[in-house]
Amino acid sequence: NNAASATYATIGGGFMQTAAGNYSSIGSGQNNTINTGATHGSIGSGQNNTINTGATHGTIGSGQNNTIDTGATHGTIGGGRSNTVSAIYAFIGGGRSHVASAAYAVIGGGQTNTASATHCIIAGGATNTAAAIYSSIGGGLTNVINTGATHSTIGGGNLNTIALNNTYALIGGGQSNTVNGTYGVVVGGRGNTVSATYAFIGGGQSHAASAAYAVIGGGQGNTASAAHSTVAGGFGAIASA
């Protein structure tokens, strides 16, 4: 029930396997497919994994329902389930329901992460999105680096966002923090917003640093709205001049 139908194609074992690309190989498993034109493709084992036409040198280690799309040459999926690589040299290590859709994009693991910009990285976590070139997300849940925010980083946390075109921004962690300024930084905390270039919030809750080079160290509900202003901490403090 296995079919190795191309030049030098090999199938080691398993059931209902198809190796239709020249020099392709399937080790074992069930219902795995290497399509015509996917030369030098390799599937180690697993079930219902597919390397599509033109995805030369594609590799799927194992897992279930993983796909290397048409033209995604040198794409790699280590394992997991329902993962898709659709760009050249993109990589998914494992986990479930990931999409790596840009050249050289990397997803390590987790669930339902999307890496859609060239050279971006998501190490793990769930429902994270890296949409900017050279951006990185360490982990956490539902963190987003938007398009144009090149070289920006979110370490982890939940519901953190780096806005469009804000290059070199950083959110270390925490929850519901936002950076909307180039080189802006939120180290952690909750509900903090940086909305100017080089502005900084260390931690705490519900702060707003809205002027260039403004700094808030911590506390709650503080505002730094003048350039180069500083609020070290406290509650409801305002630095506006």
Side-chain angles (χ1 to χ4, degrees):
N1 293 318
N2 297 319
S5 58
T7 303
Y8 298 110
T10 61
I11 298 173
F15 179 70
M16 296 297 292
Q17 319 266 39
T18 300
N22 293 340
Y23 307 99
S24 63
S25 64
I26 298 174
S28 64
Q30 181 180 358
N31 292 323
N32 296 304
T33 301
I34 300 174
N35 284 302
T36 303
T39 59
H40 301 280
S42 176
I43 297 175
S45 62
Q47 182 181 12
N48 297 327
N49 298 304
T50 303
I51 300 176
N52 282 320
T53 301
T56 62
H57 301 276
T59 301
I60 298 175
S62 187
Q64 183 180 18
N65 297 324
N66 297 305
T67 302
I68 298 178
D69 273 344
T70 301
T73 61
H74 300 276
T76 302
I77 299 173
R81 181 179 178 185
S82 302
N83 298 306
T84 301
V85 161
S86 57
I88 61 171
Y89 296 99
F91 173 89
I92 296 173
R96 181 177 180 180
S97 302
H98 302 304
V99 177
S101 59
Y104 305 97
V106 174
I107 298 173
Q111 181 176 355
T112 323
N113 295 309
T114 301
S116 59
T118 305
H119 297 283
C120 69
I121 297 173
I122 300 174
T127 61
N128 297 304
T129 301
I133 297 170
Y134 300 109
S135 63
S136 61
I137 297 174
L141 176 66
T142 320
N143 298 304
V144 178
I145 299 176
N146 282 292
T147 303
T150 60
H151 299 280
S152 292
T153 299
I154 297 175
N158 181 24
L159 297 170
N160 297 306
T161 302
I162 296 176
L164 290 166
N165 301 321
N166 289 283
T167 59
Y168 299 97
L170 170 66
I171 298 175
Q175 182 179 7
S176 302
N177 298 305
T178 301
V179 172
N180 190 14
T182 302
Y183 297 98
V185 175
V186 176
V187 178
R190 180 179 179 183
N192 298 308
T193 301
V194 161
S195 57
T197 58
Y198 296 100
F200 174 92
I201 296 173
Q205 182 179 358
S206 304
H207 303 306
S210 58
Y213 302 97
V215 174
I216 299 173
Q220 182 179 3
N222 297 314
T223 300
S225 57
H228 300 278
S229 62
T230 299
V231 177
F235 174 75
I238 299 173
S240 58

